[in-house]
Amino acid sequence: MLKHGGNLGEMVHRLGLPEADWLDLSTGINPHGWEFPTPPPQCWYRLPDRQDGLAEAAAAYYGTEAVLPVPGSQAALAMLPWLRGHARVGVTAPGYAEHGAAWSRAGHDVIPLSASQLAGGAGTAFDVLVVINPNNPDGTYFEPQTLLEWRTAVASRGGWMIVDEAFVDTTPAYSLAPYCPLPGLIVLRSVGKFFGLAGMRIGFALGPDNLLQRLEEALGPWSVNGPARWVARQALADTGWQARMRTRLPAEAEHLHALLARHFDQRIVGTPLFRTVLTPRAAEVHEALAREAILVRLLDRQDGLRFGLPPDEAGLARLDAALRRISTPEPSRA
Ligand SMILES: Cc1ncc(COP(=O)(O)O)c(C=O)c1O
């Protein structure tokens, strides 16, 4: 299994600091998750029902009826490689590493593509192109028009372009969702990040009907549980909360950005749900923060740190104070 943020249990175990003391900034999950009422008992007792209104709520939210609920966008991205014959697959890297791993596991040839290679148009040469928009962890955004051009090129040869939009909800103008269905275009959406409902394990795949049907068959019946369907339906329909979050999260990310800029000389990148600093001191700062019970995400290449949004002012102040102590260590008494 690949390493990701959110592995708080492991750190609690390793460092022996009580779980309640930790400030977990290791994911890009909204710390002000959508607060839901308790799902009615029949959600637990009956099998999930496709006619429960979730499809309509999702169609309204994503701007297309070409939508399939899946048990997390992770489940969809892991299954898609099994629905195609051998392919040359261009995958955004560094990015969410599960994409490349899933295509390799299914026996395809995976070629990592940097954001600048992608921007140069290198992706259109592949049978399958996987773009993460905006990218995690570097926050690169690609314009929808550019992506649509790449889709035309890839689909004209029977290829697929998968666009992972797990972090797009705060900037919906960048989403290709309203263009779905288009031949060869598959858009993956997460409910975990923007809505903060990561543990519920529900997401959506958007795409041509025949492809969604094959994905649905591969995942099997009832792959999304009833309570998750019920909660997601309400959250997707809560346009007032969504509008508030689209103002609140970018503002909080700006505060986090300003804080980080006080402690790091390097360029800071990201999205309204996280900020990333590329620094040669990443591993050392990660460990020093962990010793203060602050968990951040050390990038796989150990060349940077990703910070999720602190939940409140106290969290920001705690991060600020910890980073100040780390950059100006107490003089040695030796
Ligand atoms: C870019 C990206 N895509 C997809 C996922 C999977 O999210 P989920 O399965 O919760 O929808 C993640 C999780 O961290 C992610 O960072």
Side-chain angles (χ1 to χ4, degrees), residues 107-263:
H108 302 275
D109 290 334
V110 174
I111 294 92
L113 294 173
S114 66
S116 55
Q117 283 174 309
L118 275 168
T124 55
F126 294 90
D127 305 318
V128 176
L129 173 60
V130 182
V131 183
I132 307 165
N133 196 41
N135 193 27
N136 166 19
D138 64 23
T140 303
Y141 281 85
F142 289 103
E143 293 294 333
Q145 216 43 49
T146 308
L147 292 172
L148 288 171
E149 283 164 22
W150 295 351
R151 197 283 320 169
T152 306
V154 172
S156 70
R157 289 179 287 99
W160 290 353
M161 184 170 82
I162 299 173
V163 187
D164 177 343
E165 296 187 349
F167 286 100
V168 91
D169 298 61
T170 39
T171 49
Y174 281 91
S175 176
L176 292 193
Y179 299 94
C180 292
L182 278 176
L185 175 63
I186 302 155
V187 172
L188 301 177
R189 299 290 298 250
S190 176
V191 172
K193 319 291 182 211
F194 175 65
F195 290 96
L197 299 169
M200 201 166 74
R201 309 310 307 139
I202 184 170
F204 292 88
L206 285 52
D209 201 38
N210 65 334
L211 240 159
L212 295 190
Q213 254 177 43
R214 290 176 60 211
L215 182 58
E216 186 175 18
E217 281 164 17
L219 292 168
W222 319 298
S223 69
V224 179
N225 68 77
R229 291 182 67 103
W230 187 87
V231 172
R233 175 158 66 90
Q234 328 283 323
L236 292 173
D238 191 350
T239 50
W241 181 92
Q242 292 157 19
R244 287 194 296 282
M245 279 300 151
R246 287 197 182 106
T247 310
R248 180 176 182 177
L249 295 171
E252 292 187 1
E254 284 304 325
H255 283 145
L256 174 63
H257 192 116
L259 183 160
L260 294 173
R262 289 200 290 277
H263 299 285

Side-chain angles (χ1 to χ4, degrees), residues 16-168:
L17 305 167
E19 186 168 342
D21 291 357
W22 283 83
L23 176 61
D24 183 4
L25 308 178
S26 67
T27 70
I29 296 166
N30 179 355
H32 322 292
W34 190 76
E35 285 179 32
F36 50 88
T38 308
Q42 63 267 28
C43 289
W44 302 95
Y45 295 128
R46 290 195 200 136
L47 283 168
D49 183 350
R50 294 165 105 229
Q51 314 300 326
D52 60 1
L54 177 62
E56 290 75 11
Y61 181 75
Y62 295 115
T64 175
E65 285 176 9
V67 167
L68 173 73
V70 292
S73 58
Q74 170 61 38
L77 72 87
M79 187 57 82
L80 285 169
W82 302 98
L83 304 184
R84 246 198 108 95
H86 182 263
R88 288 186 72 244
V89 187
V91 177
T92 315
Y96 184 54
E98 292 287 343
H99 287 284
W103 286 92
S104 295
R105 217 179 288 128
H108 302 275
D109 290 334
V110 174
I111 294 92
L113 294 173
S114 66
S116 55
Q117 283 174 309
L118 275 168
T124 55
F126 294 90
D127 305 318
V128 176
L129 173 60
V130 182
V131 183
I132 307 165
N133 196 41
N135 193 27
N136 166 19
D138 64 23
T140 303
Y141 281 85
F142 289 103
E143 293 294 333
Q145 216 43 49
T146 308
L147 292 172
L148 288 171
E149 283 164 22
W150 295 351
R151 197 283 320 169
T152 306
V154 172
S156 70
R157 289 179 287 99
W160 290 353
M161 184 170 82
I162 299 173
V163 187
D164 177 343
E165 296 187 349
F167 286 100
V168 91

